[in-house]
Amino acid sequence: MSKILTVILSSLVALYIVEALLISYAHHGEINSLEEKIKIYKDETGKEFDTRPFFKAYKESKNNTHDLVPMIPVRESLEIDTGPYSLSNGISNSMTMFCNENGYYAKYLSDQYGFNNPDNQWDQKSIEYLLVGDSFVHGMCVNEDHTLSGNFRKMVNQGVLNLGNSGSGPLTQYATLREYLPLVNAKRIIWVYFEGNDLLDLNYELKNNTLNSYLKDKKYTQQLFMKQNEIDARYRNIIENILDKNHDQIEGFSSFMIPVKRFFKLVSLRVFIKNLYRPIKSNSLINHDTNYEKYRDIMKLVKDYAEENNSQLYFVYLPDYYRIVTNRLDDKELFGYQKVIGLTEELQIETIDLNKEFLNLSYDLKSLYPFKKSGHLNNRGYSEVTILINEVVKRNESQN
């Protein structure tokens, strides 16, 4: 018995030594990375990098912008309150504080439904491009005019609508399309699929009864465009809840117990192990028959709904930064790439494969990301992706 206890205690000690080393290594790496970003940002813009934590920056910014609200990822709002289920990332007609990956906290004025658009876009007689997707479509972490939709507006004379939802997956995105596409006359729907997490997000979405209603009933709708006051009230409650949870950060001091709890929960070790097999996990997940079939079902519904509304559907495959930094743009197995492309071909959906488009570019693709690090796109990245999408659309349509 004593030998067993000795083995258990020795194993625990070893695990916590590894945890301590990982924390120390990560802290050192974070300091060096931040110092590098601060220097680059200063050299390129002449401005100081905003190093404040999100909620501290939010509180201080709110002193100058009274109606400022934080952006709430769909999944986070779902975990706090499950209904009535909203499909935008915040309160309508409000200055909304975004994230900081580029040295500054991006902000945007939300439209009448809480999306990241100039409100007059809903009044356009024709929508040239209607974009659907997750945080990359939403526009993390740049100002509105540098998002995909903002860049499209610089190219076309007609309307462009952004229905992106940070933290959303395919089922939420389909539900969003169902709720808001009938309000406009959209010539094209640009469905942006992000290989890094879209199918992972589908896991939690399939557990939500409201979202499953869209999957099971083609006529199901919450009529959300008529319930904006109710949605705004719900989001205000969610924001209050989140601000309470982040009280320490808001007040400018960190709780001693937070890092202690993280240490005893072996958070750094768990993240390290998770990252080691992340690509394998993404591969195996997408190969799971049930998940793959559910995604195919959703895309069939998306295609049918686009046709019902006389909109041309384009499926955009957006690669993960991991694929780029490891030089695996032509790896057809990574993240289940071939499975997804195969399904769009099977459904005869016009596909814009940015993996292939990126292979034709001669510059360092890491320059499309903040400080060439993992994250969302930077200003240049959003601009280049918009140009590529527009070029492929125009090329395809000129041939038809």
Side-chain angles (χ1 to χ4, degrees), residues 290-323:
T290 303
N291 217 50
Y292 177 77
E293 285 303 316
K294 288 291 185 184
Y295 189 66
R296 184 193 179 284
D297 291 344
I298 291 169
M299 289 313 303
K300 178 65 166 62
L301 289 169
V302 170
K303 182 189 178 187
D304 291 346
Y305 197 59
E307 290 174 353
E308 287 174 25
N309 286 271
N310 299 312
S311 300
Q312 173 64 55
L313 174 64
Y314 286 91
F315 179 94
V316 177
Y317 192 102
L318 181 65
D320 187 275
Y321 177 83
Y322 178 87
R323 182 184 289 276

PDB file of all heavy atoms in Angstrom, residues 290-323:
ATOM      1  N   THR A 290     -21.134  10.884 -37.853  1.00  0.00           N
ATOM      2  CA  THR A 290     -22.292  11.665 -37.424  1.00  0.00           C
ATOM      3  C   THR A 290     -22.062  13.150 -37.649  1.00  0.00           C
ATOM      4  O   THR A 290     -22.891  13.852 -38.216  1.00  0.00           O
ATOM      5  CB  THR A 290     -22.606  11.406 -35.939  1.00  0.00           C
ATOM      6  OG1 THR A 290     -22.821  10.018 -35.750  1.00  0.00           O
ATOM      7  CG2 THR A 290     -23.839  12.179 -35.509  1.00  0.00           C
ATOM      8  N   ASN A 291     -20.900  13.646 -37.222  1.00  0.00           N
ATOM      9  CA  ASN A 291     -20.596  15.065 -37.362  1.00  0.00           C
ATOM     10  C   ASN A 291     -20.521  15.471 -38.830  1.00  0.00           C
ATOM     11  O   ASN A 291     -21.026  16.513 -39.233  1.00  0.00           O
ATOM     12  CB  ASN A 291     -19.273  15.360 -36.663  1.00  0.00           C
ATOM     13  CG  ASN A 291     -19.278  16.701 -35.969  1.00  0.00           C
ATOM     14  OD1 ASN A 291     -20.191  17.016 -35.228  1.00  0.00           O
ATOM     15  ND2 ASN A 291     -18.270  17.479 -36.229  1.00  0.00           N
ATOM     16  N   TYR A 292     -19.871  14.655 -39.622  1.00  0.00           N
ATOM     17  CA  TYR A 292     -19.735  14.943 -41.045  1.00  0.00           C
ATOM     18  C   TYR A 292     -21.106  14.982 -41.711  1.00  0.00           C
ATOM     19  O   TYR A 292     -21.396  15.882 -42.513  1.00  0.00           O
ATOM     20  CB  TYR A 292     -18.844  13.895 -41.700  1.00  0.00           C
ATOM     21  CG  TYR A 292     -18.708  14.074 -43.185  1.00  0.00           C
ATOM     22  CD1 TYR A 292     -17.874  15.050 -43.721  1.00  0.00           C
ATOM     23  CD2 TYR A 292     -19.425  13.272 -44.062  1.00  0.00           C
ATOM     24  CE1 TYR A 292     -17.761  15.224 -45.082  1.00  0.00           C
ATOM     25  CE2 TYR A 292     -19.314  13.424 -45.433  1.00  0.00           C
ATOM     26  CZ  TYR A 292     -18.484  14.407 -45.933  1.00  0.00           C
ATOM     27  OH  TYR A 292     -18.378  14.575 -47.292  1.00  0.00           O
ATOM     28  N   GLU A 293     -21.946  14.023 -41.384  1.00  0.00           N
ATOM     29  CA  GLU A 293     -23.274  13.973 -41.989  1.00  0.00           C
ATOM     30  C   GLU A 293     -24.123  15.165 -41.560  1.00  0.00           C
ATOM     31  O   GLU A 293     -24.884  15.715 -42.348  1.00  0.00           O
ATOM     32  CB  GLU A 293     -23.978  12.664 -41.628  1.00  0.00           C
ATOM     33  CG  GLU A 293     -23.452  11.449 -42.375  1.00  0.00           C
ATOM     34  CD  GLU A 293     -23.526  11.622 -43.884  1.00  0.00           C
ATOM     35  OE1 GLU A 293     -24.567  12.108 -44.387  1.00  0.00           O
ATOM     36  OE2 GLU A 293     -22.542  11.297 -44.563  1.00  0.00           O
ATOM     37  N   LYS A 294     -23.991  15.574 -40.289  1.00  0.00           N
ATOM     38  CA  LYS A 294     -24.734  16.743 -39.815  1.00  0.00           C
ATOM     39  C   LYS A 294     -24.296  17.993 -40.579  1.00  0.00           C
ATOM     40  O   LYS A 294     -25.123  18.834 -40.951  1.00  0.00           O
ATOM     41  CB  LYS A 294     -24.511  16.946 -38.315  1.00  0.00           C
ATOM     42  CG  LYS A 294     -25.212  15.928 -37.430  1.00  0.00           C
ATOM     43  CD  LYS A 294     -26.728  16.116 -37.461  1.00  0.00           C
ATOM     44  CE  LYS A 294     -27.403  15.168 -36.487  1.00  0.00           C
ATOM     45  NZ  LYS A 294     -28.879  15.252 -36.565  1.00  0.00           N
ATOM     46  N   TYR A 295     -22.986  18.100 -40.799  1.00  0.00           N
ATOM     47  CA  TYR A 295     -22.499  19.271 -41.516  1.00  0.00           C
ATOM     48  C   TYR A 295     -22.990  19.256 -42.971  1.00  0.00           C
ATOM     49  O   TYR A 295     -23.368  20.300 -43.512  1.00  0.00           O
ATOM     50  CB  TYR A 295     -20.973  19.329 -41.487  1.00  0.00           C
ATOM     51  CG  TYR A 295     -20.451  20.648 -42.037  1.00  0.00           C
ATOM     52  CD1 TYR A 295     -20.701  21.839 -41.364  1.00  0.00           C
ATOM     53  CD2 TYR A 295     -19.762  20.704 -43.244  1.00  0.00           C
ATOM     54  CE1 TYR A 295     -20.274  23.047 -41.884  1.00  0.00           C
ATOM     55  CE2 TYR A 295     -19.318  21.901 -43.758  1.00  0.00           C
ATOM     56  CZ  TYR A 295     -19.580  23.074 -43.068  1.00  0.00           C
ATOM     57  OH  TYR A 295     -19.165  24.268 -43.581  1.00  0.00           O
ATOM     58  N   ARG A 296     -22.994  18.074 -43.565  1.00  0.00           N
ATOM     59  CA  ARG A 296     -23.523  17.967 -44.920  1.00  0.00           C
ATOM     60  C   ARG A 296     -24.995  18.369 -44.958  1.00  0.00           C
ATOM     61  O   ARG A 296     -25.433  19.087 -45.862  1.00  0.00           O
ATOM     62  CB  ARG A 296     -23.371  16.525 -45.432  1.00  0.00           C
ATOM     63  CG  ARG A 296     -23.812  16.353 -46.874  1.00  0.00           C
ATOM     64  CD  ARG A 296     -23.963  14.895 -47.254  1.00  0.00           C
ATOM     65  NE  ARG A 296     -24.404  14.781 -48.635  1.00  0.00           N
ATOM     66  CZ  ARG A 296     -25.653  14.999 -49.056  1.00  0.00           C
ATOM     67  NH1 ARG A 296     -26.598  15.344 -48.181  1.00  0.00           N
ATOM     68  NH2 ARG A 296     -25.962  14.891 -50.341  1.00  0.00           N
ATOM     69  N   ASP A 297     -25.759  17.927 -43.952  1.00  0.00           N
ATOM     70  CA  ASP A 297     -27.181  18.289 -43.875  1.00  0.00           C
ATOM     71  C   ASP A 297     -27.357  19.797 -43.815  1.00  0.00           C
ATOM     72  O   ASP A 297     -28.238  20.366 -44.467  1.00  0.00           O
ATOM     73  CB  ASP A 297     -27.825  17.646 -42.650  1.00  0.00           C
ATOM     74  CG  ASP A 297     -27.931  16.129 -42.758  1.00  0.00           C
ATOM     75  OD1 ASP A 297     -27.787  15.609 -43.882  1.00  0.00           O
ATOM     76  OD2 ASP A 297     -28.132  15.471 -41.719  1.00  0.00           O
ATOM     77  N   ILE A 298     -26.504  20.451 -42.995  1.00  0.00           N
ATOM     78  CA  ILE A 298     -26.598  21.906 -42.842  1.00  0.00           C
ATOM     79  C   ILE A 298     -26.285  22.600 -44.163  1.00  0.00           C
ATOM     80  O   ILE A 298     -27.010  23.510 -44.596  1.00  0.00           O
ATOM     81  CB  ILE A 298     -25.645  22.395 -41.730  1.00  0.00           C
ATOM     82  CG1 ILE A 298     -26.147  21.914 -40.360  1.00  0.00           C
ATOM     83  CG2 ILE A 298     -25.543  23.923 -41.738  1.00  0.00           C
ATOM     84  CD1 ILE A 298     -25.153  22.114 -39.237  1.00  0.00           C
ATOM     85  N   MET A 299     -25.226  22.165 -44.834  1.00  0.00           N
ATOM     86  CA  MET A 299     -24.848  22.817 -46.084  1.00  0.00           C
ATOM     87  C   MET A 299     -25.894  22.584 -47.184  1.00  0.00           C
ATOM     88  O   MET A 299     -26.104  23.449 -48.036  1.00  0.00           O
ATOM     89  CB  MET A 299     -23.476  22.332 -46.550  1.00  0.00           C
ATOM     90  CG  MET A 299     -22.319  22.835 -45.687  1.00  0.00           C
ATOM     91  SD  MET A 299     -22.389  24.619 -45.326  1.00  0.00           S
ATOM     92  CE  MET A 299     -22.414  25.343 -46.963  1.00  0.00           C
ATOM     93  N   LYS A 300     -26.562  21.436 -47.145  1.00  0.00           N
ATOM     94  CA  LYS A 300     -27.651  21.197 -48.110  1.00  0.00           C
ATOM     95  C   LYS A 300     -28.795  22.171 -47.837  1.00  0.00           C
ATOM     96  O   LYS A 300     -29.379  22.745 -48.771  1.00  0.00           O
ATOM     97  CB  LYS A 300     -28.143  19.753 -47.963  1.00  0.00           C
ATOM     98  CG  LYS A 300     -29.320  19.383 -48.882  1.00  0.00           C
ATOM     99  CD  LYS A 300     -28.926  19.415 -50.344  1.00  0.00           C
ATOM    100  CE  LYS A 300     -29.954  18.731 -51.235  1.00  0.00           C
ATOM    101  NZ  LYS A 300     -31.279  19.370 -51.210  1.00  0.00           N
ATOM    102  N   LEU A 301     -29.101  22.393 -46.566  1.00  0.00           N
ATOM    103  CA  LEU A 301     -30.145  23.351 -46.197  1.00  0.00           C
ATOM    104  C   LEU A 301     -29.756  24.768 -46.594  1.00  0.00           C
ATOM    105  O   LEU A 301     -30.588  25.550 -47.069  1.00  0.00           O
ATOM    106  CB  LEU A 301     -30.406  23.285 -44.684  1.00  0.00           C
ATOM    107  CG  LEU A 301     -31.107  22.021 -44.176  1.00  0.00           C
ATOM    108  CD1 LEU A 301     -31.061  21.974 -42.650  1.00  0.00           C
ATOM    109  CD2 LEU A 301     -32.552  21.966 -44.658  1.00  0.00           C
ATOM    110  N   VAL A 302     -28.487  25.107 -46.403  1.00  0.00           N
ATOM    111  CA  VAL A 302     -27.994  26.437 -46.778  1.00  0.00           C
ATOM    112  C   VAL A 302     -28.142  26.648 -48.277  1.00  0.00           C
ATOM    113  O   VAL A 302     -28.625  27.690 -48.744  1.00  0.00           O
ATOM    114  CB  VAL A 302     -26.516  26.620 -46.363  1.00  0.00           C
ATOM    115  CG1 VAL A 302     -25.928  27.897 -46.964  1.00  0.00           C
ATOM    116  CG2 VAL A 302     -26.388  26.662 -44.843  1.00  0.00           C
ATOM    117  N   LYS A 303     -27.726  25.652 -49.046  1.00  0.00           N
ATOM    118  CA  LYS A 303     -27.817  25.758 -50.504  1.00  0.00           C
ATOM    119  C   LYS A 303     -29.274  25.914 -50.949  1.00  0.00           C
ATOM    120  O   LYS A 303     -29.595  26.778 -51.780  1.00  0.00           O
ATOM    121  CB  LYS A 303     -27.201  24.522 -51.157  1.00  0.00           C
ATOM    122  CG  LYS A 303     -27.233  24.594 -52.689  1.00  0.00           C
ATOM    123  CD  LYS A 303     -26.827  23.294 -53.333  1.00  0.00           C
ATOM    124  CE  LYS A 303     -26.937  23.426 -54.848  1.00  0.00           C
ATOM    125  NZ  LYS A 303     -26.710  22.140 -55.539  1.00  0.00           N
ATOM    126  N   ASP A 304     -30.149  25.076 -50.415  1.00  0.00           N
ATOM    127  CA  ASP A 304     -31.570  25.137 -50.788  1.00  0.00           C
ATOM    128  C   ASP A 304     -32.171  26.488 -50.425  1.00  0.00           C
ATOM    129  O   ASP A 304     -32.949  27.061 -51.207  1.00  0.00           O
ATOM    130  CB  ASP A 304     -32.348  24.017 -50.088  1.00  0.00           C
ATOM    131  CG  ASP A 304     -31.983  22.638 -50.623  1.00  0.00           C
ATOM    132  OD1 ASP A 304     -31.352  22.556 -51.692  1.00  0.00           O
ATOM    133  OD2 ASP A 304     -32.334  21.638 -49.954  1.00  0.00           O
ATOM    134  N   TYR A 305     -31.806  26.995 -49.248  1.00  0.00           N
ATOM    135  CA  TYR A 305     -32.375  28.267 -48.795  1.00  0.00           C
ATOM    136  C   TYR A 305     -31.869  29.424 -49.655  1.00  0.00           C
ATOM    137  O   TYR A 305     -32.625  30.356 -49.949  1.00  0.00           O
ATOM    138  CB  TYR A 305     -32.040  28.502 -47.332  1.00  0.00           C
ATOM    139  CG  TYR A 305     -32.905  29.549 -46.674  1.00  0.00           C
ATOM    140  CD1 TYR A 305     -34.286  29.416 -46.616  1.00  0.00           C
ATOM    141  CD2 TYR A 305     -32.337  30.701 -46.120  1.00  0.00           C
ATOM    142  CE1 TYR A 305     -35.091  30.374 -46.031  1.00  0.00           C
ATOM    143  CE2 TYR A 305     -33.128  31.666 -45.527  1.00  0.00           C
ATOM    144  CZ  TYR A 305     -34.496  31.496 -45.484  1.00  0.00           C
ATOM    145  OH  TYR A 305     -35.296  32.459 -44.900  1.00  0.00           O
ATOM    146  N   ALA A 306     -30.608  29.361 -50.054  1.00  0.00           N
ATOM    147  CA  ALA A 306     -30.065  30.391 -50.940  1.00  0.00           C
ATOM    148  C   ALA A 306     -30.818  30.387 -52.267  1.00  0.00           C
ATOM    149  O   ALA A 306     -31.187  31.451 -52.795  1.00  0.00           O
ATOM    150  CB  ALA A 306     -28.572  30.150 -51.168  1.00  0.00           C
ATOM    151  N   GLU A 307     -31.078  29.206 -52.802  1.00  0.00           N
ATOM    152  CA  GLU A 307     -31.794  29.099 -54.076  1.00  0.00           C
ATOM    153  C   GLU A 307     -33.223  29.609 -53.954  1.00  0.00           C
ATOM    154  O   GLU A 307     -33.741  30.276 -54.864  1.00  0.00           O
ATOM    155  CB  GLU A 307     -31.780  27.647 -54.558  1.00  0.00           C
ATOM    156  CG  GLU A 307     -30.398  27.186 -55.008  1.00  0.00           C
ATOM    157  CD  GLU A 307     -30.349  25.709 -55.348  1.00  0.00           C
ATOM    158  OE1 GLU A 307     -31.358  25.001 -55.099  1.00  0.00           O
ATOM    159  OE2 GLU A 307     -29.307  25.245 -55.867  1.00  0.00           O
ATOM    160  N   GLU A 308     -33.870  29.313 -52.820  1.00  0.00           N
ATOM    161  CA  GLU A 308     -35.231  29.813 -52.588  1.00  0.00           C
ATOM    162  C   GLU A 308     -35.290  31.334 -52.608  1.00  0.00           C
ATOM    163  O   GLU A 308     -36.294  31.929 -52.995  1.00  0.00           O
ATOM    164  CB  GLU A 308     -35.753  29.316 -51.236  1.00  0.00           C
ATOM    165  CG  GLU A 308     -36.115  27.845 -51.196  1.00  0.00           C
ATOM    166  CD  GLU A 308     -36.486  27.400 -49.796  1.00  0.00           C
ATOM    167  OE1 GLU A 308     -36.918  28.275 -49.000  1.00  0.00           O
ATOM    168  OE2 GLU A 308     -36.344  26.203 -49.481  1.00  0.00           O
ATOM    169  N   ASN A 309     -34.204  31.947 -52.178  1.00  0.00           N
ATOM    170  CA  ASN A 309     -34.152  33.408 -52.099  1.00  0.00           C
ATOM    171  C   ASN A 309     -33.414  34.034 -53.275  1.00  0.00           C
ATOM    172  O   ASN A 309     -33.032  35.214 -53.227  1.00  0.00           O
ATOM    173  CB  ASN A 309     -33.486  33.826 -50.784  1.00  0.00           C
ATOM    174  CG  ASN A 309     -34.394  33.623 -49.583  1.00  0.00           C
ATOM    175  OD1 ASN A 309     -35.161  34.500 -49.203  1.00  0.00           O
ATOM    176  ND2 ASN A 309     -34.312  32.434 -48.972  1.00  0.00           N
ATOM    177  N   ASN A 310     -33.200  33.234 -54.322  1.00  0.00           N
ATOM    178  CA  ASN A 310     -32.558  33.716 -55.558  1.00  0.00           C
ATOM    179  C   ASN A 310     -31.182  34.326 -55.300  1.00  0.00           C
ATOM    180  O   ASN A 310     -30.812  35.339 -55.901  1.00  0.00           O
ATOM    181  CB  ASN A 310     -33.461  34.734 -56.261  1.00  0.00           C
ATOM    182  CG  ASN A 310     -34.789  34.143 -56.660  1.00  0.00           C
ATOM    183  OD1 ASN A 310     -34.843  33.062 -57.254  1.00  0.00           O
ATOM    184  ND2 ASN A 310     -35.882  34.822 -56.320  1.00  0.00           N
ATOM    185  N   SER A 311     -30.431  33.707 -54.389  1.00  0.00           N
ATOM    186  CA  SER A 311     -29.079  34.165 -54.071  1.00  0.00           C
ATOM    187  C   SER A 311     -28.072  33.114 -54.515  1.00  0.00           C
ATOM    188  O   SER A 311     -28.293  31.913 -54.343  1.00  0.00           O
ATOM    189  CB  SER A 311     -28.933  34.395 -52.561  1.00  0.00           C
ATOM    190  OG  SER A 311     -29.847  35.360 -52.090  1.00  0.00           O
ATOM    191  N   GLN A 312     -26.959  33.570 -55.072  1.00  0.00           N
ATOM    192  CA  GLN A 312     -25.874  32.662 -55.469  1.00  0.00           C
ATOM    193  C   GLN A 312     -24.996  32.389 -54.253  1.00  0.00           C
ATOM    194  O   GLN A 312     -24.465  33.306 -53.637  1.00  0.00           O
ATOM    195  CB  GLN A 312     -25.042  33.285 -56.587  1.00  0.00           C
ATOM    196  CG  GLN A 312     -23.789  32.486 -56.951  1.00  0.00           C
ATOM    197  CD  GLN A 312     -24.108  31.113 -57.514  1.00  0.00           C
ATOM    198  OE1 GLN A 312     -24.855  30.986 -58.485  1.00  0.00           O
ATOM    199  NE2 GLN A 312     -23.548  30.071 -56.907  1.00  0.00           N
ATOM    200  N   LEU A 313     -24.841  31.118 -53.908  1.00  0.00           N
ATOM    201  CA  LEU A 313     -24.053  30.728 -52.739  1.00  0.00           C
ATOM    202  C   LEU A 313     -22.611  30.431 -53.128  1.00  0.00           C
ATOM    203  O   LEU A 313     -22.357  29.679 -54.069  1.00  0.00           O
ATOM    204  CB  LEU A 313     -24.674  29.495 -52.079  1.00  0.00           C
ATOM    205  CG  LEU A 313     -23.890  28.868 -50.914  1.00  0.00           C
ATOM    206  CD1 LEU A 313     -23.799  29.838 -49.733  1.00  0.00           C
ATOM    207  CD2 LEU A 313     -24.546  27.553 -50.478  1.00  0.00           C
ATOM    208  N   TYR A 314     -21.672  31.031 -52.384  1.00  0.00           N
ATOM    209  CA  TYR A 314     -20.251  30.731 -52.521  1.00  0.00           C
ATOM    210  C   TYR A 314     -19.725  30.221 -51.182  1.00  0.00           C
ATOM    211  O   TYR A 314     -19.931  30.856 -50.144  1.00  0.00           O
ATOM    212  CB  TYR A 314     -19.458  31.967 -52.939  1.00  0.00           C
ATOM    213  CG  TYR A 314     -19.646  32.366 -54.379  1.00  0.00           C
ATOM    214  CD1 TYR A 314     -20.648  33.258 -54.744  1.00  0.00           C
ATOM    215  CD2 TYR A 314     -18.828  31.848 -55.383  1.00  0.00           C
ATOM    216  CE1 TYR A 314     -20.834  33.631 -56.068  1.00  0.00           C
ATOM    217  CE2 TYR A 314     -19.008  32.213 -56.707  1.00  0.00           C
ATOM    218  CZ  TYR A 314     -20.011  33.108 -57.038  1.00  0.00           C
ATOM    219  OH  TYR A 314     -20.192  33.466 -58.348  1.00  0.00           O
ATOM    220  N   PHE A 315     -19.041  29.099 -51.229  1.00  0.00           N
ATOM    221  CA  PHE A 315     -18.434  28.501 -50.035  1.00  0.00           C
ATOM    222  C   PHE A 315     -16.948  28.860 -50.041  1.00  0.00           C
ATOM    223  O   PHE A 315     -16.217  28.509 -50.974  1.00  0.00           O
ATOM    224  CB  PHE A 315     -18.621  26.989 -50.063  1.00  0.00           C
ATOM    225  CG  PHE A 315     -18.022  26.256 -48.888  1.00  0.00           C
ATOM    226  CD1 PHE A 315     -18.795  25.955 -47.771  1.00  0.00           C
ATOM    227  CD2 PHE A 315     -16.692  25.852 -48.903  1.00  0.00           C
ATOM    228  CE1 PHE A 315     -18.249  25.263 -46.691  1.00  0.00           C
ATOM    229  CE2 PHE A 315     -16.139  25.168 -47.834  1.00  0.00           C
ATOM    230  CZ  PHE A 315     -16.924  24.873 -46.722  1.00  0.00           C
ATOM    231  N   VAL A 316     -16.496  29.557 -49.006  1.00  0.00           N
ATOM    232  CA  VAL A 316     -15.092  29.972 -48.913  1.00  0.00           C
ATOM    233  C   VAL A 316     -14.395  29.129 -47.850  1.00  0.00           C
ATOM    234  O   VAL A 316     -14.808  29.106 -46.689  1.00  0.00           O
ATOM    235  CB  VAL A 316     -14.968  31.473 -48.551  1.00  0.00           C
ATOM    236  CG1 VAL A 316     -13.499  31.862 -48.390  1.00  0.00           C
ATOM    237  CG2 VAL A 316     -15.638  32.331 -49.617  1.00  0.00           C
ATOM    238  N   TYR A 317     -13.348  28.431 -48.251  1.00  0.00           N
ATOM    239  CA  TYR A 317     -12.565  27.612 -47.319  1.00  0.00           C
ATOM    240  C   TYR A 317     -11.390  28.441 -46.818  1.00  0.00           C
ATOM    241  O   TYR A 317     -10.478  28.786 -47.571  1.00  0.00           O
ATOM    242  CB  TYR A 317     -12.057  26.353 -48.012  1.00  0.00           C
ATOM    243  CG  TYR A 317     -11.489  25.319 -47.039  1.00  0.00           C
ATOM    244  CD1 TYR A 317     -12.226  24.210 -46.672  1.00  0.00           C
ATOM    245  CD2 TYR A 317     -10.216  25.477 -46.485  1.00  0.00           C
ATOM    246  CE1 TYR A 317     -11.709  23.263 -45.782  1.00  0.00           C
ATOM    247  CE2 TYR A 317      -9.700  24.556 -45.597  1.00  0.00           C
ATOM    248  CZ  TYR A 317     -10.448  23.450 -45.245  1.00  0.00           C
ATOM    249  OH  TYR A 317      -9.944  22.533 -44.345  1.00  0.00           O
ATOM    250  N   LEU A 318     -11.408  28.783 -45.520  1.00  0.00           N
ATOM    251  CA  LEU A 318     -10.366  29.622 -44.921  1.00  0.00           C
ATOM    252  C   LEU A 318      -9.423  28.761 -44.084  1.00  0.00           C
ATOM    253  O   LEU A 318      -9.843  28.108 -43.131  1.00  0.00           O
ATOM    254  CB  LEU A 318     -11.011  30.702 -44.038  1.00  0.00           C
ATOM    255  CG  LEU A 318     -10.069  31.688 -43.355  1.00  0.00           C
ATOM    256  CD1 LEU A 318      -9.347  32.544 -44.389  1.00  0.00           C
ATOM    257  CD2 LEU A 318     -10.852  32.589 -42.387  1.00  0.00           C
ATOM    258  N   PRO A 319      -8.122  28.743 -44.420  1.00  0.00           N
ATOM    259  CA  PRO A 319      -7.178  27.904 -43.681  1.00  0.00           C
ATOM    260  C   PRO A 319      -6.850  28.467 -42.300  1.00  0.00           C
ATOM    261  O   PRO A 319      -6.969  29.659 -42.054  1.00  0.00           O
ATOM    262  CB  PRO A 319      -5.933  27.888 -44.575  1.00  0.00           C
ATOM    263  CG  PRO A 319      -6.019  29.155 -45.363  1.00  0.00           C
ATOM    264  CD  PRO A 319      -7.487  29.417 -45.567  1.00  0.00           C
ATOM    265  N   ASP A 320      -6.407  27.574 -41.423  1.00  0.00           N
ATOM    266  CA  ASP A 320      -5.947  27.935 -40.093  1.00  0.00           C
ATOM    267  C   ASP A 320      -4.487  28.394 -40.160  1.00  0.00           C
ATOM    268  O   ASP A 320      -3.724  27.948 -41.017  1.00  0.00           O
ATOM    269  CB  ASP A 320      -6.071  26.709 -39.179  1.00  0.00           C
ATOM    270  CG  ASP A 320      -5.782  27.021 -37.722  1.00  0.00           C
ATOM    271  OD1 ASP A 320      -4.606  27.004 -37.348  1.00  0.00           O
ATOM    272  OD2 ASP A 320      -6.728  27.279 -36.965  1.00  0.00           O
ATOM    273  N   TYR A 321      -4.101  29.272 -39.247  1.00  0.00           N
ATOM    274  CA  TYR A 321      -2.722  29.763 -39.176  1.00  0.00           C
ATOM    275  C   TYR A 321      -1.735  28.605 -39.033  1.00  0.00           C
ATOM    276  O   TYR A 321      -0.632  28.649 -39.584  1.00  0.00           O
ATOM    277  CB  TYR A 321      -2.578  30.727 -37.997  1.00  0.00           C
ATOM    278  CG  TYR A 321      -1.172  31.243 -37.775  1.00  0.00           C
ATOM    279  CD1 TYR A 321      -0.677  32.328 -38.497  1.00  0.00           C
ATOM    280  CD2 TYR A 321      -0.329  30.648 -36.830  1.00  0.00           C
ATOM    281  CE1 TYR A 321       0.610  32.803 -38.291  1.00  0.00           C
ATOM    282  CE2 TYR A 321       0.958  31.110 -36.621  1.00  0.00           C
ATOM    283  CZ  TYR A 321       1.420  32.186 -37.348  1.00  0.00           C
ATOM    284  OH  TYR A 321       2.702  32.647 -37.138  1.00  0.00           O
ATOM    285  N   TYR A 322      -2.132  27.560 -38.308  1.00  0.00           N
ATOM    286  CA  TYR A 322      -1.263  26.399 -38.112  1.00  0.00           C
ATOM    287  C   TYR A 322      -0.841  25.798 -39.451  1.00  0.00           C
ATOM    288  O   TYR A 322       0.304  25.387 -39.630  1.00  0.00           O
ATOM    289  CB  TYR A 322      -1.996  25.354 -37.265  1.00  0.00           C
ATOM    290  CG  TYR A 322      -1.203  24.085 -37.042  1.00  0.00           C
ATOM    291  CD1 TYR A 322      -0.307  23.965 -35.984  1.00  0.00           C
ATOM    292  CD2 TYR A 322      -1.349  22.991 -37.900  1.00  0.00           C
ATOM    293  CE1 TYR A 322       0.430  22.808 -35.789  1.00  0.00           C
ATOM    294  CE2 TYR A 322      -0.620  21.822 -37.706  1.00  0.00           C
ATOM    295  CZ  TYR A 322       0.266  21.740 -36.651  1.00  0.00           C
ATOM    296  OH  TYR A 322       0.991  20.590 -36.456  1.00  0.00           O
ATOM    297  N   ARG A 323      -1.759  25.743 -40.396  1.00  0.00           N
ATOM    298  CA  ARG A 323      -1.459  25.189 -41.718  1.00  0.00           C
ATOM    299  C   ARG A 323      -0.397  26.032 -42.414  1.00  0.00           C
ATOM    300  O   ARG A 323       0.492  25.510 -43.100  1.00  0.00           O
ATOM    301  CB  ARG A 323      -2.734  25.152 -42.565  1.00  0.00           C
ATOM    302  CG  ARG A 323      -2.535  24.547 -43.944  1.00  0.00           C
ATOM    303  CD  ARG A 323      -3.809  24.642 -44.763  1.00  0.00           C
ATOM    304  NE  ARG A 323      -4.845  23.756 -44.289  1.00  0.00           N
ATOM    305  CZ  ARG A 323      -4.964  22.478 -44.614  1.00  0.00           C
ATOM    306  NH1 ARG A 323      -4.082  21.922 -45.420  1.00  0.00           N
ATOM    307  NH2 ARG A 323      -5.961  21.749 -44.135  1.00  0.00           N
TER     308      ARG A 323
END
